[in-house]
Amino acid sequence: LPYSLQKRLLNTIKERHGHQKLGRLVLVSGTIDNEHSSLLAAALSKYDRHIPPVDPSKIREMLHSVCSNPELKPQNGTVMVFKSDVAGAGKTYRIRQLVELHQLTLVSVPVYQETRAGSMIKLSLSRSTSPQTALHLMLSPNCDEYTDMLLFSFVVLGDLVDSQGRHYNPMHKKYPVLIEFPALGTPDERAEYAQQLQFTDLLPYEMMVFSRACLLYTSPSPRDS
C-alpha cells in the first residue's frame, strides 16, 4: 500500500480499536524494499505472527490445482509457463498453436527487469481489446526478484498498484496467462534464474524440446520467398 494510505489505515485502526484487540483483522507483510513500506508492520509489530516457509512442493501442488487447465477458454484463468533449454525449441510456436486452436487473440507483453506495475497495466489495457484474449508475458533474461513479486501480484493476488497508488485487477476478466521463459545457455544460468523467480518457477509448465515443427511454422514458404 502507498505510504499515505497506510497512514490513513493506521489512524482508522487506532480510532476504532485504540489499545483493544484487533479481532479478525489480518495484515500480510512480505519482503520490503522501501523505508515507507513498513509503516503498518512497524506500528503493529506487537501483533507479529511469523509464518514459517511452506515446502515448495506443497506450493507447486497448490498452484497446479488452481492454475492448470488444458482448456484456454476465456473466463477460466488458466496460467501456464513455457520453458526450453535452447532457443528455437518452439515455446512461441506452442503458445500460438494453443491460441489459434481456441480462437483467441494473442496479446504479447514483454517483461524486463525494469518493468513496473504501471507499465504492465498500460500495456495490458492498451492491447487487450477483445474479450477473447490470451495474455502472453515474455520474460527477459535479466528479470529478477521484483519481477517475481510483480508476477505473484498479477497472477495470485490479482492486484497491481501503479506509481500513483491506483489499484488495477488484471485478472478480473480471467484471461489465460501464458508466461514464456527465456532460453538460457547453461544449467548454472537456469538455476540462478529459477532462484530469482522462485514463485514463477513453481507454476505449471511445459518443457519444450527442439523440433522441425517450429521451423516449419516460422520459416517462409518457397512461394513467399
Side-chain angles (χ1 to χ4, degrees):
L1 293 177
Y3 177 78
S4 58
L5 188 55
Q6 289 191 58
K7 192 172 183 178
R8 286 169 54 192
L9 178 57
L10 184 60
N11 290 336
T12 300
I13 291 173
K14 289 180 178 179
E15 290 172 4
R16 295 189 178 183
H17 297 278
H19 296 287
Q20 300 174 3
K21 292 183 179 180
L22 297 182
R24 298 179 180 273
L25 179 64
V26 176
L27 300 174
V28 179
S29 177
T31 303
I32 57 173
D33 56 5
N34 183 299
E35 61 180 355
H36 297 314
S37 298
S38 61
L39 175 64
L40 276 172
L44 303 175
S45 59
K46 67 177 181 179
Y47 300 104
D48 274 357
R49 293 293 182 273
H50 295 284
I51 307 299
V54 180
D55 187 274
S57 63
K58 296 293 185 182
I59 299 176
R60 187 185 296 275
E61 182 180 342
M62 181 273 294
L63 289 172
H64 275 243
S65 65
V66 172
C67 299
S68 184
N69 193 319
E71 295 293 324
L72 291 185
K73 295 178 180 178
Q75 311 304 323
N76 73 356
T78 299
V79 178
M80 296 178 67
V81 172
F82 298 84
K83 302 178 181 180
S84 70
D85 290 341
V86 296
K91 297 186 297 293
T92 303
Y93 164 69
R94 174 61 173 155
I95 289 171
R96 291 177 179 174
Q97 188 182 51
L98 286 170
V99 167
E100 289 178 3
L101 177 64
H102 296 286
Q103 299 181 333
L104 301 175
T105 300
L106 185 64
V107 174
S108 297
V109 178
V111 180
Y112 306 101
Q113 183 182 39
E114 59 272 15
T115 298
R116 294 297 179 260
S119 58
M120 184 175 284
I121 293 170
K122 184 177 180 181
L123 285 171
S124 299
L125 284 175
S126 64
R127 299 182 185 184
S128 304
T129 57
S130 168
Q132 309 285 348
T133 294
L135 294 179
H136 173 203
L137 305 182
M138 303 177 292
L139 307 187
S140 74
N142 68 351
C143 287
D144 58 13
E145 293 178 350
Y146 182 88
T147 310
D148 200 41
M149 182 176 67
L150 188 64
L151 292 173
F152 175 79
S153 297
F154 189 102
V155 172
V156 175
L157 301 182
D159 180 55
L160 292 179
V161 186
D162 65 15
S163 58
Q164 303 300 314
R166 295 172 297 191
H167 289 255
Y168 168 65
N169 180 0
M171 299 298 287
H172 75 287
K173 295 183 179 179
K174 298 297 182 182
Y175 292 146
V177 177
L178 311 175
I179 303 173
E180 182 177 343
F181 266 50
L184 301 171
T186 67
D188 287 344
E189 289 176 329
R190 291 192 288 274
E192 183 179 351
Y193 196 76
Q195 184 65 27
Q196 292 289 328
L197 277 69
Q198 292 186 32
F199 159 72
T200 312
D201 194 55
L202 293 174
L203 288 167
Y205 71 90
E206 284 190 27
M207 177 61 75
M208 309 307 300
V209 179
F210 182 82
S211 69
R212 289 190 63 215
C214 56
L215 289 178
L216 294 173
Y217 185 89
T218 56
S219 299
S221 64
R223 187 176 300 175
D224 296 331
S225 57

